[in-house]
Amino acid sequence: MRNTRQRRQQILQLLVLHGNVQVADLVERFGVSSVTIRADLSHIESQGLATRNHGGAALVRTPPPEQNIHEKDALNLPLKDAIGAQAARLVKPGDNIIIDSGSTTMTLARHLHLHRDITVMTNGLNIAWELANAPGVELLLTGGLLRKQSLSLQGSQAEASLNAYSFDTLFLGVDGLDLQFGLTTHHEAEASLNHRMVEHARKVVVLTDASKFGRVSLHRIGRLDQIHTVITDAGISSEYREGLQRLGIEVIIAEPPP
């Protein structure tokens, strides 16, 4: 799985650099079969990043570069904090929730310190640290392999840890939300874990600032019809607001304090 993930990332980098790739060239470069390369290109195409053609594929759109968690923390902080505060208002005593790793979901954790009688599972080390001293929060960590870029735990152990639980709400961060391609993220293992989180929650709430709308990253988390609510800021376009509402998704606009 790791070799597959790394190869697909490298193929995407070649697409971004050259605009197109050929199956024969990729077979020679990576030492795998043409069947494997075609499967890689089909995966990239399914994310809306490339289109297959005779003998190869061409770039459709360039995915945004990934930033580490410290860089993300510094971006759009007032908007993210308002989104986190709005999300915290949805959490009631007795709730069992999952908080996905991320810089926007981190702001939710900061607004849960005064909550009582809630259980939180998270795969984010930064989120766990934030909630470690919250007296009214029972805290569970997924376990798994640490991805230092995002301070997130992931992998088969993290996914297996969800099996014994059913949660009221998942608060999910994303790297991209596109009306056609759904929810995406940069990393395959994170996408896989997020997909499992969706399966174990009765309600899915996406926390994202408006800069993520229209973006597509390499790995799909899920379809838009799997989510119930999007909390974002006033920068959301009318196209995306109306498009989400047509799908029956509640859109909540968080306003930062003056």
Side-chain angles (χ1 to χ4, degrees), residues 72-83 209-212 233:
K72 288 181 178 180
D73 279 343
L75 294 175
N76 302 322
L77 187 55
L79 295 178
K80 290 178 180 178
D81 190 68
I83 291 168
D209 64 84
S211 69
K212 304 294 178 61
D233 60 78

Side-chain angles (χ1 to χ4, degrees), residues 10 19-20 93 105 144 192 198 201 207 234:
Q10 291 174 32
N20 59 76
T105 51
S192 179
V198 169
L207 310 184

Side-chain angles (χ1 to χ4, degrees), residues 56-234:
L59 186 71
V60 172
R61 68 170 91 180
T62 303
E66 182 179 13
Q67 297 167 306
N68 67 44
I69 191 66
H70 304 296
E71 293 170 328
K72 288 181 178 180
D73 279 343
L75 294 175
N76 302 322
L77 187 55
L79 295 178
K80 290 178 180 178
D81 190 68
I83 291 168
Q86 186 68 56
R89 297 186 186 106
L90 302 181
V91 181
K92 307 302 180 186
D95 279 356
N96 304 307
I97 66 175
I98 314 178
I99 303 179
D100 173 40
S101 64
S103 60
T104 307
T105 51
M106 176 66 175
T107 65
L108 164 59
R110 292 177 182 143
H111 287 280
L112 292 179
H113 278 256
L114 298 180
H115 281 60
R116 294 291 182 268
D117 188 28
I118 62 171
T119 299
V120 176
M121 175 176 271
T122 185
N123 66 317
L125 286 191
N126 54 341
I127 291 170
W129 180 258
E130 183 68 32
L131 292 173
N133 293 319
V137 177
E138 184 175 358
L139 184 62
L140 303 170
L141 274 74
T142 61
L145 179 67
L146 176 65
R147 184 170 186 246
K148 296 179 182 179
Q149 177 87 348
S150 57
L151 291 181
S152 61
L153 298 165
Q154 57 190 227
S156 59
Q157 183 179 348
E159 294 183 25
S161 69
L162 300 175
N163 291 338
Y165 298 98
S166 177
F167 294 91
D168 297 302
T169 307
L170 162 63
F171 292 95
L172 179 66
V174 297
D175 290 317
L177 188 158
D178 185 89
L179 290 175
Q180 181 178 0
F181 299 108
L183 308 172
T184 57
T185 190
H186 287 285
H187 199 258
E188 186 172 11
E190 288 185 0
S192 179
L193 178 59
N194 290 161
H195 182 78
R196 292 293 303 277
M197 288 177 172
V198 169
E199 294 177 336
H200 284 266
R202 287 185 285 276
K203 182 178 182 179
V204 179
V205 179
V206 172
L207 310 184
T208 178
D209 64 84
S211 69
K212 304 294 178 61
F213 295 120
R215 288 187 180 183
V216 177
S217 294
L218 180 58
H219 301 288
R220 178 178 280 132
I221 296 169
R223 306 181 310 274
L224 291 184
D225 62 10
Q226 295 176 287
I227 66 177
H228 303 84
T229 301
V230 171
I231 304 178
T232 188
D233 60 78

